[in-house]
């Protein structure tokens, strides 16, 4: 008996400097050795399906960011980030949602290292975040109106959560 099977995957396999520019992006399952991915387009959703983004091995990862978000109304969900200085860097991005995302084995003893680093942004929702073995779980600078819910921060670095010149936060577990 012979079976011919054709599988069409409707998912993306990102590379270094990948730009998620489609309105809907489903990332293929697997581990991707990538850094400097970006979302600079408004109204984008990135959904991971058993996906891990991994920064370069060795000391070079201290300089790398997994994903930079500068678009408005962006959602990232279900991804795992490991071995980055900044897993996700959100800059001047309003209405950003991060859901069901894990961060592990990030840079240690490095200035500005954080699983999630948010700067000059407003109205963010961060839920079901799991951060382990990183310098800092979340750092918010000049960012307001944020909600952090049902998250686990188990990092051994300088801080679990840092708010600098930021206000109007709701934190619940």
């Amino acid at each position: 008996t012979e079976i011919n099977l054709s599988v069409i995957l409707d998912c993306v396999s990102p590379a270094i400097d990948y730009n998620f520019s489609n309105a809907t992006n489903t990332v293929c399952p697997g581990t991707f050795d990538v850094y400097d991915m970006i979302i600079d387009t408004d109204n984008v959703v990135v959904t991971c399906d058993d996906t891990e983004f991994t920064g370069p091995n060795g000391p070079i990862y201290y300089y790398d960011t997994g994903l930079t978000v500068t678009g408005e109304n962006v959602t990232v969900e279900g991804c795992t980030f490991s071995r980055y200085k900044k897993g996700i860097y959100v800059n001047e991005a309003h209405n950003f949602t991060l859901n069901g995302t894990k961060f592990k084995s990030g840079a240690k003893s490095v200035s500005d290292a954080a699983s999630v680093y948010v700067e000059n942004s407003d109205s963010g929702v961060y839920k079901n975040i799991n951060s382990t073995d990183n310098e800092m779980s979340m750092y918010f600078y000049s960012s307001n109106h944020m909600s952090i819910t049902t998250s686990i921060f188990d990092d051994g670095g300088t801080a679990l959560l840092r708010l600098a010149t930021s206000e109007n936060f709701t934190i619940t577990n």
Side-chain angles (χ1 to χ4, degrees):
T1 302
E2 183 177 322
I3 298 174
N4 291 320
L5 180 62
S6 176
V7 177
I8 299 172
L9 296 176
D10 188 17
C11 59
V12 296
S13 297
I16 296 169
D17 298 323
Y18 186 84
N19 190 336
F20 292 99
S21 58
N22 295 329
T24 303
N25 302 270
T26 300
V27 183
C28 296
T31 301
F32 298 91
D33 296 325
V34 294
Y35 54 90
D36 293 341
M37 296 178 295
I38 190 165
I39 301 172
D40 59 3
T41 305
D42 296 344
N43 305 309
V44 171
V45 175
V46 175
T47 304
C48 292
D49 179 16
D50 196 23
T51 306
E52 182 171 349
F53 301 120
T54 305
N57 201 3
I60 190 167
Y61 77 85
Y62 287 88
Y63 305 102
D64 291 324
T65 298
L67 174 66
T68 298
V69 177
T70 59
E72 308 277 326
N73 303 310
V74 170
T75 297
V76 175
E77 54 192 4
C79 306
T80 298
F81 292 82
S82 62
R83 295 196 326 238
Y84 293 106
K85 178 180 178 185
K86 294 176 183 162
I88 296 179
Y89 174 53
V90 180
N91 187 19
E92 296 184 8
H94 308 295
N95 300 312
F96 176 69
T97 299
L98 183 63
N99 183 25
T101 300
K102 297 178 183 177
F103 300 89
K104 59 185 185 177
S105 304
K108 294 279 196 180
S109 303
V110 178
S111 176
D112 296 335
S115 297
V116 180
Y117 190 106
V118 182
E119 189 170 25
N120 304 313
S121 299
D122 290 310
S123 303
V125 175
Y126 300 84
K127 56 186 175 180
N128 302 313
I129 309 302
N130 186 330
S131 180
T132 58
D133 195 29
N134 297 287
E135 181 65 22
M136 187 179 337
S137 295
M138 302 183 86
Y139 178 54
F140 293 90
Y141 178 78
S142 259
S143 297
N144 303 306
H145 307 285
M146 303 291 174
S147 171
I148 303 169
T149 60
T150 321
S151 297
I152 298 171
F153 303 139
D154 187 17
D155 296 311
T158 58
L160 297 177
L161 178 64
R162 183 173 177 191
L163 310 176
T165 65
S166 298
E167 56 187 38
N168 297 317
F169 275 69
T170 302
I171 303 171
T172 57
N173 240 352

